[in-house]
Structure formats: structure tokens, C-alpha cells
Amino acid sequence: MTVNDRGRSENAASDAGGNIPRGPILLADLTSDATAALRDQVELVLIPIGAHEQHGPALPVSTDTLSVQVLCSLVGTLMRPRVAVAPAIPWGSSWAHLDRPGTISLRSETLISLVVDIVDSLSRNGFRKFMLVNGHGGNNAALRIASEHCRALENAPIVVPVYSYSLVSVAGSELLGSTAPGHGGGDEASLILSIRPDLVQRNALQNPVANEKLVVMAQILGAVNGTLPTAQSSYSAVGTTGDASGASAEAGKAILAQVTNQLRAIIEQLLETDIP
């Protein structure tokens, strides 16, 4: 049983039997009547957003989606019933990975429209605040625009995009060293080892030889909120960055725990803030 399956079974059992809730409120598992009954309690809906893209020879193409789903499930459990979790969007803007098999990429305008339509639908159901919990950096620009478009909807819902991987990379650097974080690096590999170890090709976890000048240039631009549009395979022959050779399930659990607490604190602050 996966983490998400376990959350679903606990969620269903606690709602049906009236026991102390142990799992998150997953909107996909509720009936229409149950959704209506809960909407006055739910103050925020988390929308996990990942990607379906190559993560090198060791990790599955669902890496970003799996990570953000589990993160939202953990936060939703801790903050139940104030927080509910919507179904994850498993695709993102992944054009930089299209030169490698397995990648599915949405155009930015498609992702924007998808998010706006989801928020519009749920806001019509009575939900007022949303957090886009994004696990893939390529989605950031589109999600900022989507959040602004949502404020122009008839019900003017509040939509806040959060780049959860920024928290993951910091935690990964603290736990595994500064060379570990990256696309398919030690931080992401550790997360998947802790979530779905059966999907990891352990013998392929490595420290890739990277195009250092390109990496440095991307870091310089990123520090000033810029970007360097180029194929991910330009950074290394295997399409990954970051040293994954020291990845472990134990580190993944620690990263998840730290990021879960950080995201929970952000949400609590958001819910206490009066936003016009």
C-alpha cells in the first residue's frame, strides 16, 4: 500500500465510522453531499501540482507528482479539517525535458487554463482559499499568472502558489550536503526512496558530470529572478543534476518531516491573514 492509498483508506474509515480522523480530507474520495457538508469547515484547499518528465536513469517520471502528493497528504492530515486536498495535476510545463522519452509537457497556457478552471469549479462549490503546491520549477511562471487570473473570477477566490521544491532543496542541502540537491539529485532521490522505493533504480543513483559553467550561469540568473531556457540534457549527459549517490530513505523521511512542518506554518500564517 502506498502512502496515498493508506491516506485514502484511513480517511474513508474515519468518516464512515466516526473515529478520530487520521488521514487527510481527499476531495476525490467524497460524495457530493459529503463535500457540501464539509465546505464550511474547510478553510483552504491544497492543489498538488507536479510533472511527468524524465528524472534520469534512476527515478520515475512521476517524481515531482509523487513528492507533492505525499507532502499535501501529510499537511492535510495535520491540519484536518481546516485543510482539504484536491486531486493532483500530474502534468506540467516540461518542454526542457522533451528530448528524453517518457516526458509529457503542457503548454503554459494549457496549465494556466487548467488551474483556473479547477479553482473556478471549486469556488462555485463554496471553497474560498486555495494553495497551489508546486513540485516542479518549470510550472512557476504559469502558476503565478494563473493565480492572478483566478482573482478576476466571479467569486474572486484567493489563490496562492508555493514552490515546495525550494523547501525540499534547502532541507536536502542541510541533510545530504550542498552538492546533493538538483533535478534527479540526492534530495529528490531520497524522497522517492522514502515514498516508493520500488520505483527507484538504486544502481543508477549517481553524481553526474555537469556542465559547470551552465549550472553557475543558471544560478546567477535565478538569484535575480531570471531564467536560462535550455534543455535539461544540456546540464549533464544523463539529464540530471545533483549528487544522488548518497540518497537514502532515512534522509527522505527527514526531508519530508521538515518540509511538512514548514508548509504547515506557512498555511497557518495565511489562514490568520485577512486578505481583502
Side-chain angles (χ1 to χ4, degrees), residues 8 37 40 53 75 107-108 141 165 169 184 220 227 235-236 255 260:
R8 288 189 176 189
D40 290 337
E53 62 185 25
V75 173
R107 288 170 294 182
S108 293
Y165 177 71
S169 64
I220 290 172
T227 186
Y235 289 95
S236 76
I255 291 171
T260 296

Side-chain angles (χ1 to χ4, degrees), residues 260-274:
T260 296
N261 287 330
Q262 291 173 320
L263 187 57
R264 179 186 186 181
I266 293 170
I267 293 171
E268 288 176 340
Q269 184 67 37
L270 175 64
L271 294 180
E272 292 172 3
T273 302
D274 184 18

